[in-house]
Amino acid sequence: MHGLVLEHIARDFTDGRQVRRVLFPTDLEIAAGELTVLAGPSGSGKTTLLSIIGLVLRPSEGRLVLGNRDVSRLGEDAAAGVRLREYGFVFQQPMLVEGLSILENVLLSVAVQGKRPSKAMRKRAMDLLASLGLEATANQQPRLLSGGMKQRASIVRALLKSPSILLCDEPTSALDAESGQVVVRILKRIAIEEQRVVVVVSHDARVFPYADRLIKLENGRVVSDTREQYVEGSGLAS
Amino acid sequence: MRSLAAFRMVVHDRSSTAGALLGVVAIVFLVGQQLSVLFGLLNYMSVLVDHSNADAWITSADLRNADAGNLISARYLDRAMGFPQVQWAAPLLIGNGLFRTPDGSFEAIRVVGCRRPRLAGGPWDFAEADETALLDFESVTVDRLDFEKLGRPAVETVTEIGGRRVRVGAITDGARGFQGTLVFAPFDKVKEVAATPPGRYSAILLRFLPGIDHDDAVARLRSAMPGCSVFTTAELSRLTRLYYFTNTGIGGSFGFSTAIAVMIGIVIISLTMYASVLGRYRDFAVLRALGGRQRDVAAVVFSQALLIAGVGVFIGFVLLAALLNATRGSAIPSYMPSYVSPLLAGIAIVVSLLGSLVALRQALKAEPASVFH
Ligand SMILES: Nc1ncnc2c1ncn2[C@@H]1O[C@H](COP(=O)(O)OP(=O)(O)OP(=O)(O)O)[C@@H](O)[C@H]1O
Ligand SMILES: [Mg+2]
């Protein structure tokens, strides 16, 4: 699995006539096989950075290199193709599509460009749902599930295509402490056992103990970037 | 999977789906109903011509519609019969008269006189008795649809037309003209009722021998009879329909109300689909973030529109069929040529797609980046 390299990535927003730099030039290498947590106060640019990494927002400056490829200047359709093949997303809200069953929601992540999901893919979806304790919900409507179950279902949706990069924005903030822990443990396990790039944005202190690497942003700048020191003593993946 | 998603959304978002369905059903039903009345009226306009069982008609010169012919000389009958292409020729005499109803009041009617024994241009369908009734000089027919209006003159009722004694001999079925009540009578009775000068006809009906080229035969008749008009039956029918269609405002009024129905349908579909997409804005952003392109979002929106159109067309046609069935045989003109149904379905589908364009614009605005907020 390849990592991600950010070279001098910066982002400006214009509100009104004024151009405001929200993210100052940032260089980062994000490796597979560890849980990277992006922390910082509100408005510090975490979501902006994650959106750029996730190819849904273009940087104003700099390059984003995935494998050997600069993916920061791709056209809309090409970026969508990369998102479809390489990325899994978990949002603050589960964002499941009402009307589609849990299984259909999960399958949508591989079939959004119109392809029909294969039998093998269906089986994998069922296995993943089962591994997160959701096998009984496969044919249910999202609204019948608890917040924690929905968030787990959205993790299954992100994992179905075996993405090399998993991006999560505040995946625990809408959950109670217990469901939140379950979710973080799952993410940690995926990073380590499946050797993927996993980036979690969070300002939830309960997430930090699980981080292999903790990057702190303030006012659009990386102010600290620490490895491993939070890990000891915390209960690891279940 | 895109169409499955579209299907699930359509099923799930019941209220907006119901609204958009209403729009499609309204178009199919309202436009279909309008068209059926229009085609019903068109049938009335040329009813005598269409059911004449003749190949060609000779009428007065410069004829503008089949109901407004001047009388022509009986000489043309002999001349027509002299043509080698002609199998038979028969005169038709149409006059106006007042029909005395059994309760003593009067109704204005058109009396159509056809000559025995062929009775060309005469009645074709009967609710009671048959055309042999017209072999009797006194006998006339009335139509089932005008039965109430004429005071329920049952068969064997003796009454008057234009002060002349007649007897109702048969009841026709569906012989209704655009210009009003049609009563068939023997040729000489009409001559008497309408007081037509002798040796004059309203029209001459022709049948050609088998295997004759009708257009060619008509052309020959035309050059031989410059003092009158010669039409094939189809030509005369078309001329008459077109005349009424354009000169009575029927065309304009039907066109206008049909356009209004289509517009209302578009507006209903646009509004409800737009509202539905607004409610689904987040889902479309999620589709984009998951790797959906703009065209995938468009596919979902269009699939929704097509699904709704399909179901709406089906419901619309069921309702329309029920209406046509209920009004069949009544005095309400209604007729649906077979080519109209696919046309109507096509219109409904195009309108649905047009109606979904506003919604599509909105759906395409869904920013994948917005899912992170
Ligand atoms: N589309 C946008 N247009 C203008 N300004 C924006 C836009 N998106 C973000 N910003 C600004 O960029 C700054 C950083 O926003 P961002 O969402 O990255 O912060 P964050 O660290 O994720 O905050 P939070 O913890 O509250 O989610 C904020 O000041 C925000 O107002
Ligand atoms: Mg944020």
Side-chain angles (χ1 to χ4, degrees), chain B residues 126 128-131 133 139-143 155 167-172:
Chain B
F126 292 87
E128 227 176 289
D130 57 28
E131 66 269 17
S139 225
V140 299
T141 69
V142 297
D143 197 79
V155 171
R167 187 177 55 83
V168 175
I171 300 190
T172 54

Side-chain angles (χ1 to χ4, degrees), chain A residues 11-15 20-23 39-51 57 92 169-170 201-203 217 220, chain B residues 372-373:
Chain A
R11 172 73 201 201
D12 304 321
F13 280 119
T14 39
D15 27 48
R20 203 155 56 87
R21 179 138 287 196
V22 168
L23 190 65
S42 187
S44 57
K46 306 183 294 292
T47 297
T48 303
L49 183 57
L50 195 72
S51 304
L57 187 70
Q92 187 167 353
D169 195 13
E170 315 259 13
V201 164
S202 184
H203 48 206
L217 280 179
Chain B
F372 282 119
H373 290 285

Side-chain angles (χ1 to χ4, degrees), chain A residues 47 50-51 56 76-77 80 83-84 89 91 95-100 104 107-108 111-115 117 141 157 161 169, chain B residues 1-2 4-6 8-9 12-13 280 282-283 286-296 367-373:
Chain A
T47 297
L50 195 72
S51 304
V56 293
E76 286 234 17
D77 285 1
R83 287 202 297 276
L84 180 66
F89 293 99
F91 314 111
M95 302 236 184
L96 300 172
V97 177
E98 287 295 341
L100 270 66
E104 287 163 352
L107 288 172
L108 197 57
V112 68
Q113 290 199 355
K115 216 173 63 184
Q141 285 292 306
R157 177 176 66 185
K161 52 192 163 187
D169 195 13
Chain B
M1 198 74 191
R2 289 179 308 206
L4 176 73
R8 293 280 196 249
M9 288 179 183
H12 186 263
D13 303 348
R280 288 280 183 184
R282 207 195 61 179
D283 292 335
V286 169
L287 290 186
R288 294 292 314 279
L290 292 179
R293 299 153 296 183
Q294 292 213 316
R295 78 182 82 133
D296 299 310
E367 274 292 329
S370 68
V371 293
F372 282 119
H373 290 285

Side-chain angles (χ1 to χ4, degrees), chain A residues 59-81:
Chain A
S60 308
E61 289 171 20
R63 283 170 17 111
L64 175 68
V65 181
L66 175 63
N68 300 319
R69 187 175 174 205
D70 179 4
V71 290
S72 46
R73 297 284 180 276
L74 293 177
E76 286 234 17
D77 285 1

Side-chain angles (χ1 to χ4, degrees), chain A:
Chain A
M1 291 290 150
H2 38 235
L4 263 174
V5 182
L6 284 69
E7 295 173 359
H8 249 63
I9 290 282
R11 172 73 201 201
D12 304 321
F13 280 119
T14 39
D15 27 48
R17 251 160 282 153
Q18 210 171 328
V19 179
R20 203 155 56 87
R21 179 138 287 196
V22 168
L23 190 65
F24 290 88
T26 304
D27 293 281
L28 281 175
E29 264 183 57
I30 303 174
E34 58 182 17
L35 183 67
T36 306
V37 173
L38 213 52
S42 187
S44 57
K46 306 183 294 292
T47 297
T48 303
L49 183 57
L50 195 72
S51 304
I52 291 171
I53 296 176
L55 301 185
V56 293
L57 187 70
R58 278 164 201 266
S60 308
E61 289 171 20
R63 283 170 17 111
L64 175 68
V65 181
L66 175 63
N68 300 319
R69 187 175 174 205
D70 179 4
V71 290
S72 46
R73 297 284 180 276
L74 293 177
E76 286 234 17
D77 285 1
V82 175
R83 287 202 297 276
L84 180 66
R85 285 188 306 275
E86 308 278 354
Y87 284 78
F89 293 99
V90 178
F91 314 111
Q92 187 167 353
Q93 303 292 332
M95 302 236 184
L96 300 172
V97 177
E98 287 295 341
L100 270 66
S101 71
I102 294 297
L103 179 62
E104 287 163 352
N105 262 288
V106 167
L107 288 172
L108 197 57
S109 66
V110 294
V112 68
Q113 290 199 355
K115 216 173 63 184
R116 180 183 280 275
S118 66
K119 263 222 168 76
M121 211 38 116
R122 277 172 186 279
K123 172 149 190 335
R124 182 175 149 75
M126 286 306 292
D127 291 347
L128 278 170
L129 282 172
S131 73
L132 295 194
L134 293 169
E135 65 270 48
T137 66
N139 293 314
Q140 286 180 2
Q141 285 292 306
R143 72 190 137 80
L144 300 176
L145 274 60
S146 72
M149 289 164 100
K150 278 194 266 198
Q151 196 58 298
R152 276 182 277 151
S154 82
I155 292 175
V156 173
R157 177 176 66 185
L159 293 181
L160 180 62
K161 52 192 163 187
S162 311
S164 41
I165 298 156
L166 184 59
L167 304 179
C168 316
D169 195 13
E170 315 259 13
T172 61
S173 67
L175 303 178
D176 60 60
E178 205 177 322
S179 323
Q181 279 215 338
V182 172
V183 165
V184 183
R185 286 207 188 112
I186 295 166
L187 296 174
K188 170 111 185 168
R189 196 185 70 209
I190 291 158
I192 293 174
E193 289 179 8
E194 301 185 16
Q195 287 291 304
R196 300 184 198 286
V197 172
V198 179
V199 183
V200 177
V201 164
S202 184
H203 48 206
D204 181 353
R206 290 168 304 183
V207 172
F208 302 162
Y210 295 91
D212 297 309
R213 181 182 181 189
L214 182 64
I215 300 169
K216 282 197 170 169
L217 280 179
E218 257 171 50
N219 295 322
R221 289 191 168 87
V222 175
V223 290
S224 82
D225 185 349
T226 47
R227 263 212 163 75
E228 302 274 350
Q229 72 195 65
Y230 294 86
V231 178
E232 78 271 1
S234 64
L236 271 185
S238 49

